Amino acid sequence: MSPLQDTESNQHEMHAGHELESGVLARVREWIDILPWLRLLRTLRMAGSPSMILIAMLTLAIWSPVDQWIRGVNLPAAVESTVSVSSKVTDSSQVTDMAPQRFSVWFPTSANPMRAITASFSAESQQHSGGILRLLCSLLWTLIAWSFASLVFVRQGGLLTAGRSMLSVRVIVKSILPRSIAAWIAGIVPMLCVAFLAAMIWGLGWIAAWMPESGFVQFPLAMLITVLAIPSGILAFGAIVAVAFAWAAIGNERDPDALDALSRGYEYLYRRPAHLILYGVVSLVLFWIVMFLIGGVTDAAARITLAVLVGTSAPAMTGNFALQILAQIPTATAFAFGWGLVGGVYLLIRFDAGGQQVEDVWLPAEVPADPFPTLPS
């Protein structure tokens, strides 16, 4: 090509500009690229979602009475004692003093399944609840009762962390309900594995009981018990985080697989502990802020309710029931927002572990709109 032709061809080309974004600059365009935990701030919307709080309250109302029945709490007598109250509200302190007693009728002292489960390991709790069988039944019932609501919360929390909008209740219920079975499997598998290892330790214990108390015999058995105890401890301790992340994976991935989701949970716990601790600290700060706000709102609402009911001579039962409902709002908000944070943290650790973008979340296929009718010509 001659110089004249080359000059003429360059006149029709546009300069693309200087390429300034390379390396790190090509990936850092917003603050969330430098500080990814800022994405968790978006999950604060769940704390103010009436539909999410209502789902949590309904789940609490279903879970708690059955759990108390499994643990041996005499619900009929407690309910009868509540119904027999016929006094009037003449003093706000009267309702305030009676509220904790009525509150314990329907819900445990702490309506937190994890605290109730861990408390059952104590000797006193096992003596009152009937031992390990009641504990296992309570664990299974908690797993079944909370799996659907937890999937809903981790799904909404994942969507908010990914920068998307929350789904409507109808859409999310329709998409999450078929995934509940996978959530049950993910929760039961660690329990079965730990139970299998515990059964082997139990068998070795009986063998040791029949053997002579000699170091040459007991020491090898103790070594075998230790070998079995270590993986059982890994599975049991890791299940607290692994099952939660497994439910987050089942709720946010396109193809939910219980075993694959469970393996992801254990991997993120034991291979990314530093990231987990960092996101956990941020989540605790956000959780504290939400509970402080919702606690102040419900406390003010309770005081206003009591002040108004004093002048109406309403039955004490009315005020007690109102206090019970108000007392459940912080607990329900804690469950909804806490599981929403789990969904957000899962996406962040998934990005740290495998590089999959946080925005890469599964969305249900949109129903195609009906075409417009063709007008006759």
Side-chain angles (χ1 to χ4, degrees), residues 44-103:
L44 291 172
R45 290 183 54 189
M46 290 194 62
S49 174
S51 59
M52 296 298 101
I53 296 176
L54 181 59
I55 291 176
M57 293 185 68
L58 291 176
T59 307
L60 275 172
I62 295 173
W63 167 78
S64 182
V66 178
D67 183 75
Q68 293 189 41
W69 174 77
I70 293 174
R71 295 174 180 277
V73 178
N74 190 6
L75 286 179
V79 173
E80 183 179 356
S81 64
T82 303
V83 177
S84 62
V85 177
S86 59
S87 60
K88 302 294 183 179
V89 179
T90 58
D91 186 7
S92 61
S93 61
Q94 178 183 1
V95 180
T96 305
D97 296 337
M98 299 176 64
Q101 181 181 359
R102 300 297 178 261
F103 173 76

Side-chain angles (χ1 to χ4, degrees), residues 130-270:
I132 194 66
L133 181 59
R134 290 183 179 271
L135 172 62
L136 293 177
C137 293
S138 177
L139 282 172
L140 291 175
W141 167 240
T142 301
L143 178 69
I144 295 174
W146 278 102
S147 58
F148 172 75
S150 300
L151 288 179
V152 172
F153 300 148
V154 297
R155 174 63 169 159
Q156 299 285 43
L159 290 173
L160 292 174
T161 305
R164 304 180 184 275
S165 301
M166 297 174 60
L167 297 177
S168 63
V169 176
R170 181 184 62 84
V171 173
I172 198 168
V173 168
K174 183 178 179 181
S175 61
I176 289 298
L177 192 59
R179 299 170 178 248
S180 298
I181 298 178
W184 297 344
I185 296 175
I188 293 175
V189 166
M191 296 174 58
L192 294 178
C193 294
V194 173
F196 177 75
L197 294 174
M200 297 181 66
I201 296 175
W202 180 80
L204 290 175
W206 275 105
I207 295 175
W210 286 94
M211 292 294 179
E213 294 186 8
S214 172
F216 293 100
V217 177
Q218 298 295 334
F219 183 77
L221 291 175
M223 289 294 296
L224 291 176
I225 292 175
T226 304
V227 170
L228 295 174
I230 292 176
S232 64
I234 293 175
L235 290 173
F237 175 77
I240 300 175
V241 176
V243 173
F245 279 166
W247 286 3
I250 292 172
N252 289 286
E253 300 295 343
R254 181 175 299 275
D255 299 318
D257 183 86
L259 298 181
D260 177 69
L262 196 60
S263 64
R264 288 190 182 194
Y266 280 105
E267 178 187 2
Y268 295 162
L269 171 62
Y270 290 116

Side-chain angles (χ1 to χ4, degrees), residues 276-319:
L276 183 61
I277 293 174
L278 173 62
Y279 297 141
V281 171
V282 175
S283 300
L284 286 177
V285 173
L286 296 178
F287 190 83
W288 181 87
I289 294 174
V290 168
M291 296 311 299
F292 173 78
L293 294 176
I294 196 65
V297 171
T298 53
D299 180 70
R303 292 177 182 275
I304 294 173
T305 301
L306 294 179
V308 173
L309 289 180
V310 167
T312 61
S313 298
M317 185 183 300
T318 304

